[in-house]
């Protein structure tokens, strides 16, 4: 039996071929799994909308999430530059987070106005309306802002008066579990329900340090701190002020409540 002689060239060729085969395998796996990952991400977002809209039941399967979402939730596209509804894209498929990276679909936020530290703002946002007998019951708004370590992606739901919080929730962030990660704690999220966003037309709702004094005239505009996570909590406050302010959804909310959106 002839023995192949080991030479540096042969070793290099074998290594290169092995690298090539492995990288093709990894790329193919990534390509094949991408649609599933995208579908899972979509269902995750839909689930987050259902949770905040109180339409989610524990143990719901992905199919049930899709079903309830499509029967109870109406996604609408809003032009953030004008505050009007838009039909420039299909709100069911428009990827707002992807649009941020597209210079034709987003623009830089001037530094002094970028209070949520998100750098770019998309031209269009997808909002989710929950209606009952043709009347708006809840409006779910997508929001994001930088915490301590990461951009926190979530939703704020407003009641039909468009200024009382119906819920808050996050579907993606990289804050520390047990500290900033407590933004996912249902007990903390419950403290937002019923809080008021606007005072004299300005978004003032904020997470304070310590606990809210229920006797304080500002109590309706304040949410308890998360212990050991002031920096993440400040990020949540900045996120609220940006997205419910003039550069975010305020123009749309004004038009919607005047019936002009
Ligand atoms: C490893 C590590 C992770 C931390 N993660 C967070 C975090 O996710 N969010 C946050 O606000 N603070 C976090 N902190 C704490 C901050 O550095 C800071 O002390 C805290 O925000 C102050 O909050 P307090 O005023 O409630 O104590 C972390 C600290 C350490 C050492």
């Amino acid at each position: 039996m002839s023995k192949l002689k080991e030479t540096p060239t042969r070793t290099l060729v074998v290594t290169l071929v092995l690298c090539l085969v492995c990288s093709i395998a990894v790329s193919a796996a990534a390509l094949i799994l991408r649609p599933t990952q995208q579908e899972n991400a979509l269902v995750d977002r839909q689930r987050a909308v259902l949770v905040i809209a109180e339409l989610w039941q524990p143990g719901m399967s992905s199919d049930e999430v899709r079903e309830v979402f499509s029967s109870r939730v109406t996604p609408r596209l809003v032009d953030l530059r004008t505050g009007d509804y838009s039909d420039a894209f299909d709100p069911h498929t428009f990827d707002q987070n992807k649009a941020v990276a597209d210079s034709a679909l987003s623009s830089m936020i001037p530094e002094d106005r970028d209070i949520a530290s998100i750098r770019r703002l998309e031209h269009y946002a997808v909002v989710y309306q929950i209606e009952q007998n043709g009347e708006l019951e809840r409006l779910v708004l997508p929001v994001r802002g930088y915490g301590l370590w990461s951009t926190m992606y979530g939703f704020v739901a407003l009641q039909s008066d468009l200024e009382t919080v119906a819920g808050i929730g996050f579907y993606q962030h990289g804050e520390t579990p047990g500290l900033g990660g407590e933004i996912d704690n249902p007990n903390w999220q419950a403290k937002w329900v019923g809080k008021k966003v606007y005072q004299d037309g300005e978004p003032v709702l904020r997470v304070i340090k310590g606990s809210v004094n229920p006797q304080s005239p500002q109590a309706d505009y304040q949410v308890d701190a998360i212990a050991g996570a002031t920096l993440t909590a400040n990020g949540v406050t900045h996120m609220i002020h940006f997205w419910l302010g003039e550069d975010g959804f305020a123009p749309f909310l004004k038009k919607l409540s005047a019936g002009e959106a």
Side-chain angles (χ1 to χ4, degrees), residues 46 55 75 85 104 107 117 129 180 183 245 261:
Q46 292 181 341
L55 295 171
Y85 285 122
S107 48
S117 304
Q129 297 183 180
I183 55 172

Side-chain angles (χ1 to χ4, degrees), residues 13-81:
V13 169
V14 169
T15 310
L16 286 176
V17 169
L18 203 64
C19 286
L20 194 68
V21 170
C22 288
S23 57
I24 289 171
V26 170
S27 308
L31 213 65
I32 292 165
L33 291 175
R34 188 171 300 155
T36 314
Q37 285 170 337
Q38 284 171 343
E39 182 58 26
N40 287 345
L42 179 69
V43 172
D44 274 352
R45 270 211 298 279
Q46 292 181 341
R47 183 178 286 114
V49 172
L50 293 191
V51 169
I52 208 168
E54 290 185 341
L55 295 171
W56 185 78
Q57 307 280 337
M60 253 187 182
S61 68
S62 297
D63 283 343
E64 287 168 326
V65 167
R66 271 190 223 100
E67 204 179 295
V68 176
F69 186 89
S70 64
S71 63
R72 290 296 319 274
V73 181
T74 310
R76 301 283 309 262
L77 195 70
V78 170
D79 189 330
L80 290 171
R81 297 163 297 182

